[in-house]
Amino acid sequence: MAEFSSILLEKAVDELAKLPGVGRKTALRLALHLLNEERVATESLSQSLLNMRNNIVLCKKCYNISDNEYCSICSNIKRDNELLCVVADMRDVMAIERTGSFNGLYHVLGGVIDPINGISPNDLRINELVNRSINENLREIILALPATIEGDTTNYYIFKKLGHFEGKITAIAKGIAVGDALEFADEVTLGRSIANRMPFNR
Amino acid sequence: MAEFSSILLEKAVDELAKLPGVGRKTALRLALHLLNEERVATESLSQSLLNMRNNIVLCKKCYNISDNEYCSICSNIKRDNELLCVVADMRDVMAIERTGSFNGLYHVLGGVIDPINGISPNDLRINELVNRSINENLREIILALPATIEGDTTNYYIFKKLGHFEGKITAIAKGIAVGDALEFADEVTLGRSIANRMPFNR
């Protein structure tokens, strides 16, 4: 772009414009905002992004993002560790935590079975879930996957894999609009769909 | 926010949400995007922001942002150095450069006279402009300030200060919508308003 008299500014705009939903005009506005602020603002932003990217790990137990070996939910002794909620994505953990309706632990699959996009059961943490169903003293496993065909497929696949499991297997109520991802459901609807969970329907 | 299982993520979201037009939901989306990308993406973004903020300076001649002592416009020998365009802001330089209608040099005032917001002539680079009108061999000075009351006030103030100047003093044509800032004008309108500039009307 010929209008940039500074290569440093142009490079910063290029990088900002790579973020999702950020066009070049917005990127320029953000860059000029940082130029107008004190240096410490840019340093604080950059450092927090680097700290996040370089130090966040996946919890060894539930595969949610975590600052330590085990995440703050898995290591919270006040949570009900006999109740396990299976979700596709870490954003679903956040969405359910926001409802305040669930006090158990999570298992983050890392997606749902989706052959069209090349995601097979082996790409997900389903074996890890089976291991937890054997090694942990769980009384109930709640399937909280998206209300899509892929989510349903994954539900059935997991249900078959958990044939040995003697506790209850439930799925969140289809109170959330069919076809929607969990993270976009409103908190009341999502909270109720957890409260009204039903025995898994073969 | 209780839903964050990671303090590192929460801190990154806090910092991103300080940017103009970025709410907490958008900030979270940006942070998760960076977590999904390779580390080098975050490093490249952070480094480019730091490089920009720490190394960009103001051109010693025109006060546009610059990577060196003199900006790429001032040091371009192909530009017409007898023609000077006075603008309020560095974004106005970009807007005019985008039109491709101007091949002279710039002088960035750093704002316009605006008593209500406490901006007096001494806060602007008007003395520096007067010095340039004396020391440089200019045949024309184009006033390209916003078409607002404050812009008009600044035009008159500068015109008075340039009483000694023997070249032409012009103002960009009021082709741009009155009340609008230059950076939001479309390129054709802004380009024409430069082409149709008229002798300054006392």
Side-chain angles (χ1 to χ4, degrees):
Chain A
M1 303 237 282
E3 78 263 27
F4 286 107
S5 61
S6 158
I7 292 164
L8 294 170
L9 175 63
E10 186 169 1
K11 178 87 181 101
V13 169
D14 286 346
E15 287 293 331
L16 285 166
K18 286 181 189 168
L19 295 172
V22 177
R24 291 190 68 81
K25 285 218 166 183
T26 304
L28 176 60
R29 192 159 51 91
L30 298 180
L32 292 176
H33 167 82
L34 290 174
L35 278 177
N36 268 327
E37 296 283 302
E38 295 294 322
R39 286 187 183 193
V40 69
T42 306
E43 278 156 14
S44 180
L45 170 64
S46 298
Q47 202 51 56
S48 70
L49 294 179
L50 287 170
N51 278 345
M52 174 191 75
R53 188 61 190 85
N54 291 332
N55 297 322
I56 278 187
V57 292
L58 292 184
C59 171
K60 281 196 167 175
K61 195 167 174 185
C62 73
Y63 303 95
N64 187 15
I65 49 171
S66 174
D67 297 346
N68 305 300
E69 203 172 356
Y70 295 101
C71 77
S72 58
I73 295 173
C74 285
S75 30
N76 183 347
I77 54 164
K78 289 183 180 165
R79 314 263 321 193
D80 181 349
N81 63 9
E82 296 184 358
L83 191 56
L84 189 71
C85 183
V86 179
V87 294
D89 193 275
M90 60 178 87
R91 279 169 291 194
D92 301 330
V93 174
M94 292 182 198
I96 292 175
E97 287 296 289
R98 271 197 298 268
T99 70
S101 304
F102 181 71
N103 193 38
L105 304 183
Y106 292 95
H107 187 82
V108 181
L109 290 179
V112 287
I113 299 169
D114 186 357
I116 292 172
N117 290 308
I119 301 174
S120 77
N122 288 332
D123 298 319
L124 306 174
R125 299 184 197 101
I126 293 177
N127 287 333
E128 289 84 344
L129 173 62
V130 172
N131 288 338
R132 291 185 72 179
S133 76
I134 295 165
N135 299 328
E136 295 177 31
N137 186 27
L138 302 172
R139 70 171 190 280
E140 180 175 350
I141 294 175
I142 305 172
L143 302 175
L145 300 183
T148 58
I149 293 175
E150 292 79 14
D152 287 342
T153 307
T154 313
N155 273 342
Y156 279 99
Y157 185 89
I158 290 174
F159 190 73
K160 266 194 346 198
K161 280 280 190 181
L162 292 178
H164 60 278
F165 182 66
E166 296 188 343
K168 262 201 294 188
I169 300 179
T170 55
I172 55 169
K174 290 286 177 64
I176 59 175
V178 174
D180 260 5
L182 257 72
E183 57 170 313
F184 302 117
D186 71 85
E187 288 154 28
V188 175
T189 308
L190 186 57
R192 276 190 197 154
S193 77
I194 291 179
N196 297 333
R197 64 186 181 271
M198 300 187 302
F200 190 79
N201 196 353
R202 292 158 213 246
Chain B
M1 303 237 282
E3 78 262 30
F4 285 108
S5 61
S6 159
I7 292 165
L8 295 170
L9 174 62
E10 186 169 1
K11 177 86 180 104
V13 169
D14 286 346
E15 287 292 331
L16 285 165
K18 286 182 189 168
L19 295 172
V22 178
R24 290 191 70 83
K25 286 220 165 180
T26 305
L28 176 61
R29 191 159 52 91
L30 298 180
L32 292 176
H33 167 83
L34 290 174
L35 278 177
N36 269 327
E37 295 284 301
E38 295 294 322
R39 287 188 183 193
V40 68
T42 306
E43 278 156 14
S44 180
L45 170 64
S46 298
Q47 202 51 57
S48 70
L49 294 180
L50 287 170
N51 278 346
M52 174 191 74
R53 186 61 189 86
N54 291 331
N55 297 321
I56 277 187
V57 292
L58 292 184
C59 172
K60 282 197 168 175
K61 195 169 173 183
C62 74
Y63 302 95
N64 187 15
I65 50 172
S66 174
D67 297 346
N68 304 300
E69 202 172 356
Y70 294 101
C71 77
S72 59
I73 296 173
C74 285
S75 30
N76 183 347
I77 53 164
K78 288 183 181 167
R79 311 257 332 186
D80 181 349
N81 63 9
E82 296 183 0
L83 190 58
L84 189 71
C85 182
V86 179
V87 295
D89 193 275
M90 60 178 88
R91 279 169 290 194
D92 301 329
V93 174
M94 293 182 197
I96 293 175
E97 286 297 289
R98 272 198 297 270
T99 69
S101 305
F102 181 71
N103 193 38
L105 304 182
Y106 292 95
H107 186 83
V108 181
L109 289 180
V112 286
I113 299 169
D114 185 357
I116 292 172
N117 290 306
I119 301 174
S120 77
N122 288 332
D123 299 319
L124 306 175
R125 299 185 199 100
I126 292 177
N127 287 334
E128 289 84 343
L129 172 62
V130 172
N131 288 339
R132 292 184 73 179
S133 76
I134 294 166
N135 298 327
E136 296 177 30
N137 186 26
L138 303 172
R139 70 170 190 280
E140 179 176 349
I141 294 175
I142 305 173
L143 302 175
L145 299 183
T148 58
I149 293 175
E150 293 79 14
D152 287 342
T153 305
T154 312
N155 274 341
Y156 279 98
Y157 185 88
I158 290 174
F159 190 72
K160 266 195 346 199
K161 280 279 190 183
L162 293 178
H164 60 278
F165 182 66
E166 295 187 346
K168 262 202 295 188
I169 300 179
T170 56
I172 57 169
K174 289 287 176 64
I176 60 175
V178 174
D180 260 4
L182 256 74
E183 57 170 312
F184 302 117
D186 70 86
E187 288 153 28
V188 176
T189 308
L190 185 56
R192 277 192 197 153
S193 76
I194 291 179
N196 297 333
R197 63 186 182 271
M198 300 188 301
F200 191 79
N201 196 350
R202 291 158 213 242

